[in-house]
Amino acid sequence: MRIQLQLLLEDVATFGAAAVTYALLPVPYWTFWAAFFLPDAAMLGYMWGPRLGAGAYNLAHSKTVAVVLLAAGLLLPLWPLAAAGLVLLGHAAFDRAFGYGLKYSTGFADTHLGRMGKRPRPTAPVQVG
């Protein structure tokens, strides 16, 4: 299986698991969708430059942060905290499934999944001899 397909399937499965698990929490399910795009507000950090923007975006799209919030919310138990972890986990997986990876400080389009946008055209093969 190609690695890109495997990563896509993992992120789709993670998104689905987060959405389904959220329904098991004692919080209104509509709040999952109401809060789903809140992590994207971190893109406002780019107003102060690519370094701050990338840091804010990456923090708000970190699966590690999501799992820590989820675990803390389940252990304490603080259901809104667990809910926030599931929203963040689902959102991060959703974004990655569509090619929006964690950002480098060189610019929004430079991600750990590769450069977003148009791919460079392949060059013609060089003929030798």
Side-chain angles (χ1 to χ4, degrees):
M1 181 181 323
R2 291 183 23 214
I3 191 72
Q4 292 88 354
L5 178 60
Q6 182 178 351
L7 291 172
L8 171 67
L9 293 175
E10 285 179 357
D11 284 322
V12 169
T14 301
F15 166 74
V20 169
T21 304
Y22 196 95
L24 302 175
L25 294 179
V27 297
Y29 188 70
W30 65 267
T31 59
F32 179 82
W33 301 108
F36 190 74
F37 287 105
L38 285 178
D40 285 337
M43 286 188 284
L44 294 173
Y46 280 96
M47 292 172 48
W48 291 275
R51 186 176 182 150
L52 181 65
Y57 184 94
N58 291 345
L59 183 64
H61 289 79
S62 168
K63 291 181 181 179
T64 303
V65 170
V67 170
V68 168
L69 289 174
L70 174 60
L74 292 174
L75 292 172
L76 289 176
L78 292 171
W79 304 124
L81 194 59
L86 284 171
V87 168
L88 182 54
L89 184 62
H91 179 88
F94 180 86
D95 272 11
R96 304 245 175 91
F98 282 97
Y100 292 91
L102 297 175
K103 309 302 181 195
Y104 291 109
S105 62
T106 53
F108 185 81
D110 297 330
T111 79
H112 82 287
L113 298 174
R115 184 147 178 87
M116 293 172 28
K118 293 185 178 180
R119 300 282 183 223
R121 293 183 183 187
T123 58
V126 178
Q127 294 182 1
V128 178

